[in-house]
Amino acid sequence: MLLAFAFLIGIVAGLRAMTAPAAVAWGAALGWFDVSQTSLAFMGFKWTPWVFTLLAIVELITDQLPSTPSRKVPVQFSARIVMGALTGATIGVSGGLLVGGLIAGIIGAIVGTLGGAAARARLAAAFGKDAPAAITEDIIAVVGALLIVGAV
């Protein structure tokens, strides 16, 4: 089950790169799952969720700007893969599945990045503009992250 959660949080990272680590860090810091005796213990430190939350808020704001590059450009895509790997590994390591969680998170991030871009383009076309599609995607990412982390 942890690998499914790692894959799903990777999808969230593909949608919003910083939302996934913010949610996972909050889950670890609040003790919803234990990573304290692992190589990813820093995800449960008291300051980690605050840093990732700040970054997630900045990302949610900047995503609305027309000058924000596509999530499919190398830097953006790479960031989503790295965050998918980090968050998937963090969920996986809570059950002794570090490598499996890392791989599931990467795969999820690729699916979320490509699938999210396609879905947002279709939503934007349906709405006639991008802003409602972006806000819908924001809500899906935030709610999805909370549900996933809460279920771990």
Side-chain angles (χ1 to χ4, degrees):
M1 201 62 188
L2 284 179
L3 295 180
F5 291 136
F7 173 76
L8 291 172
I9 203 67
I11 290 175
V12 171
L15 298 176
R16 294 290 175 272
M18 294 299 150
T19 298
V24 169
W26 277 110
L30 294 172
W32 294 354
F33 50 90
D34 184 25
V35 295
S36 62
Q37 301 301 311
T38 71
S39 57
L40 295 171
F42 73 92
M43 287 297 283
F45 291 172
K46 66 181 178 181
W47 53 266
T48 307
W50 294 103
V51 170
F52 279 124
T53 298
L54 178 63
L55 293 171
I57 291 168
V58 169
E59 180 182 32
L60 291 172
I61 293 168
T62 59
D63 182 61
Q64 304 298 319
L65 303 174
S67 60
T68 302
S70 166
R71 72 184 82 200
K72 297 187 286 185
V73 299
V75 172
Q76 298 283 345
F77 206 140
S78 298
R80 284 164 163 69
I81 290 172
V82 168
M83 290 301 119
L86 172 64
T87 55
T90 303
I91 287 174
V93 79
S94 71
L97 301 170
L98 173 71
V99 174
L102 182 135
I103 293 168
I106 290 171
I107 294 169
I110 293 167
V111 169
T113 300
L114 299 175
R120 181 165 166 179
R122 281 192 293 266
L123 272 176
F127 284 125
K129 53 186 173 177
D130 186 60
I135 292 168
T136 301
E137 187 178 12
D138 292 344
I139 293 167
I140 290 169
V142 171
V143 171
L146 294 174
L147 291 173
I148 294 160
V149 171
V152 174

